[in-house]
Amino acid sequence: MMTVTNLKETIRRWPAMSGVFSRLKADPWPHEIEGVQGGLHAFFLSEYTAAFSGRLVIVVPTEKEIESLASDLDLTGLEFETLPWWGTMAYRPVAQNAAVFGERAAALTKLAREPAKRGGSGSPSSILVLTQRAFLTPVPPPGYFRSLLTEVRVGDSIDPAALAERLSGFGYTRVPRVTVRGEFALRGEVLDVYMAGEVEAHRVVFEFDNIEQIKSFDPGTQASSASLESLALYPAREVIWDEARIDALAARLAELPEFAEGAPGLVEHLRLHGTVEGEELFYPLAFEGPSSVLDYLAGDEAATVFFFDWDRQANAQETLEREYLGLYRKARASTEEETRNPLLSEVPEPQRELLNFRELAARHGRRLLFRTIHGDDALAATRLKIACDPPRSFFGNIVYLKEELANLVSNGWKVCVFAESENQALRIGEILKDIEVHILPLDLSSGFAIPELKLIVIEENEIFGRRRHV
């Protein structure tokens, strides 16, 4: 029976695939590649991570592609992080207690802590997946995050009261017992903290201000799962409105034409309360200039950026700019009574909230563009091609399916069907019991076919004519 390991090995030995990787190693970056279809993307990524080290950033068009890619990466055994976008319309404030604040802070912190690499081969230090909107949204500079990180180690001497005050300044809420992300508890000689974006909480045990243990634990059961030598504490939000950041914001607001009087009400509110609904709109103005995710890769010569469906993303810039401009005008046209928060009657212009896709992508030389259509030669130095057919669809026509697969098998093709559960695998096996097919009860986003190998991979929804629900 065919397994994922067998399938990966078959694709690895495919001359077209090995030829592409020889070119990637020998030819100058950047590269563009045509022909990678459907679930083959994940197998390509698996091969890439086996051949190259360094961080890997993957930019996809929308959240839908993140969901599809997530299942495929799980299938091939690759771990990854995501940097979410705000999950709302531009210029519509995010709820102040939304989990996305902590999720973004966690992702940026991990990216900021990754050491730079100088090339070579082996497993990547990290994989970050994000949408085009998240890629184009300005973020704080990496140096800012590094300055906020507080690392505690077993054996270190600490001041528990000062550490609790720092966590409060980071936006964490002090409680008797942590139950949700964004909380910490200090009782006796134990500090518990449930950091934003983490699966488990952490417990720091100390005696006479010396750290004796650091453990991970489940906040629900209080059961410990692992002991750690060190722990990095990071903010609950990507911008902490301390005096330095508020002063920087006030200076920028005074310079910008869209803020007639420098938005004194907003600045004063932040000084008094340290937060405001819709504050994420002003994060790009809290620093001297805009930074992007690519700034976190600076100095890492082995870091690579993949752009899935490059043509679609490149063509989306104008649409995004029109969208942001329309929503900006709508926000500015709202009267104070109509505005949900009168402090947001003046908001930053779209060019401060949205970076330019082509200009930003061009900043990173080591990039690979997955092309869906034949494009111009100016995009990349090296163009590569793979002969792969897109997913097949059988529209629920079982008679047609059986005829097609029987013909393929009789002509020497291998047929692999990915089913979303064991029960579905049994159902499909019963339908195709008279045909030699390999059925895997594993989740794959979509199929593909490689004529050179006489290999076709089918995802179960392509059989029954269903759309994958995201």
Side-chain angles (χ1 to χ4, degrees):
M1 286 295 293
M2 178 72 75
T3 65
V4 172
T5 302
N6 299 146
L7 188 57
K8 288 169 68 174
E9 186 60 32
T10 298
I11 293 173
R12 178 178 295 116
R13 294 196 304 265
W14 178 24
M17 183 68 76
S18 57
V20 162
F21 278 89
S22 296
R23 295 284 301 277
L24 289 177
K25 292 176 180 179
D27 295 341
W29 290 80
H31 298 273
E32 60 181 56
I33 184 168
E34 296 179 30
V36 179
Q37 304 281 350
L40 184 61
H41 284 93
F43 291 94
F44 185 96
L45 288 171
S46 178
E47 290 302 302
Y48 186 89
T49 57
F52 297 95
S53 65
R55 288 173 286 181
L56 181 58
V57 174
I58 303 172
V59 185
V60 299
T62 68
E63 295 288 343
K64 179 181 178 181
E65 286 77 23
I66 283 188
E67 294 289 342
S68 297
L69 183 59
S71 65
D72 293 352
L73 292 177
D74 287 340
L75 178 72
T76 53
L78 296 178
E79 296 182 356
F80 64 97
E81 302 285 341
T82 60
L83 174 64
W85 192 63
W86 295 111
T88 183
M89 294 175 64
Y91 294 103
R92 177 174 293 176
V94 178
Q96 286 185 283
N97 60 348
V100 68
F101 285 101
E103 292 167 356
R104 286 178 58 85
L108 290 172
T109 298
K110 291 171 183 175
L111 198 60
R113 293 186 70 210
E114 282 283 341
K117 293 192 176 184
R118 302 189 65 83
S121 62
S123 299
S125 49
S126 69
I127 300 176
L128 178 71
V129 183
L130 70 164
T131 64
Q132 183 179 16
R133 287 178 186 262
F135 179 67
L136 298 181
T137 298
V139 294
Y144 172 72
F145 262 102
R146 296 188 185 111
S147 71
L148 293 177
L149 285 175
T150 300
E151 188 151 2
V152 293
R153 293 181 174 274
V154 173
D156 282 356
S157 178
I158 63 169
D159 181 344
L163 192 56
E165 184 177 350
R166 187 163 182 81
L167 287 171
S168 294
F170 276 178
Y172 290 90
T173 303
R174 185 168 182 173
V175 295
R177 173 177 169 173
V178 299
T179 57
V180 297
R181 294 175 183 84
E183 294 180 338
F184 79 95
L186 177 61
R187 54 189 187 281
E189 296 182 322
V190 173
L191 171 70
D192 290 346
V193 57
Y194 197 178
M195 288 189 288
E198 296 286 339
V199 175
E200 293 185 303
H202 296 91
R203 175 166 293 154
V204 180
V205 181
F206 49 92
E207 183 176 1
F208 302 113
D209 299 344
N210 288 318
I211 299 176
E212 290 194 329
Q213 283 184 312
I214 302 175
K215 299 183 290 186
S216 300
F217 71 95
D218 184 327
T221 64
Q222 296 290 301
S224 298
S225 60
S227 295
L228 307 173
E229 287 299 315
S230 64
L231 176 66
L233 303 174
Y234 55 82
R237 294 171 181 247
E238 62 196 85
V239 172
I240 299 300
W241 293 111
D242 55 18
E243 286 301 316
R245 296 279 64 81
I246 296 174
D247 288 345
L249 175 66
R252 289 294 307 279
L253 294 176
E255 298 171 353
L256 300 178
E258 63 263 41
F259 297 94
E261 299 177 359
L266 174 66
V267 173
E268 184 59 27
H269 185 92
L270 286 173
R271 293 194 191 279
L272 291 174
H273 303 284
T275 184
V276 64
E277 184 181 64
E279 64 181 70
E280 67 279 357
L281 290 170
F282 297 88
Y283 286 173
L285 306 184
F287 305 92
E288 290 185 6
S291 296
S292 75
V293 169
L294 296 184
D295 292 304
Y296 288 71
L297 305 181
D300 187 347
E301 297 177 7
T304 313
V305 183
F306 281 13
F307 293 95
F308 278 39
D309 205 342
W310 166 268
D311 307 280
R312 178 178 166 193
Q313 293 195 56
N315 293 330
Q317 181 71 35
E318 187 177 346
T319 302
L320 286 171
E321 290 176 354
R322 284 200 306 268
E323 175 192 321
Y324 271 64
L325 182 59
L327 292 171
Y328 168 75
R329 287 171 174 168
K330 184 177 180 180
R332 293 283 294 190
S334 300
T335 64
E336 187 169 302
E337 290 73 26
E338 294 171 336
T339 303
R340 186 176 175 185
N341 186 342
L343 296 174
L344 302 183
S345 58
E346 294 178 321
V347 291
E349 291 182 353
Q351 68 268 25
R352 312 192 207 290
E353 303 288 319
L354 184 73
L355 302 173
N356 182 276
F357 179 72
R358 284 182 178 269
E359 292 177 2
L360 182 59
R363 293 182 193 174
H364 195 78
R366 191 180 174 92
R367 62 187 185 274
L368 190 148
L369 322 177
F370 286 97
R371 305 297 302 273
T372 52
I373 60 175
H374 185 75
D376 57 63
D377 292 321
L379 291 177
T382 306
R383 172 173 294 171
L384 308 171
K385 292 184 180 181
I386 282 182
C388 176
D389 293 340
R392 292 282 303 272
S393 182
F394 298 92
F395 309 103
N397 189 330
I398 302 303
V399 174
Y400 170 60
L401 166 74
K402 295 170 75 171
E403 289 177 353
E404 284 291 295
L405 296 189
N407 287 334
L408 288 171
V409 170
S410 67
N411 284 304
W413 282 64
K414 287 184 179 179
V415 180
C416 294
V417 179
F418 281 80
E420 294 181 355
S421 67
E422 292 280 358
N423 286 339
Q424 283 296 95
L426 292 173
R427 178 190 177 195
I428 295 169
E430 183 63 26
I431 292 172
L432 303 176
K433 62 184 178 181
D434 298 325
I435 306 171
E436 185 183 347
V437 298
H438 304 275
I439 303 172
L440 288 72
L442 300 168
D443 200 10
L444 182 72
S445 64
S446 59
F448 55 91
I450 303 175
E452 185 180 354
L453 298 179
K454 288 194 172 183
L455 170 68
I456 182 169
V457 175
I458 302 170
E459 196 274 329
E460 73 163 68
N461 289 303
E462 294 157 6
I463 293 176
F464 301 110
R466 296 190 300 258
R467 290 182 179 271
R468 289 179 64 90
H469 177 69
V470 176

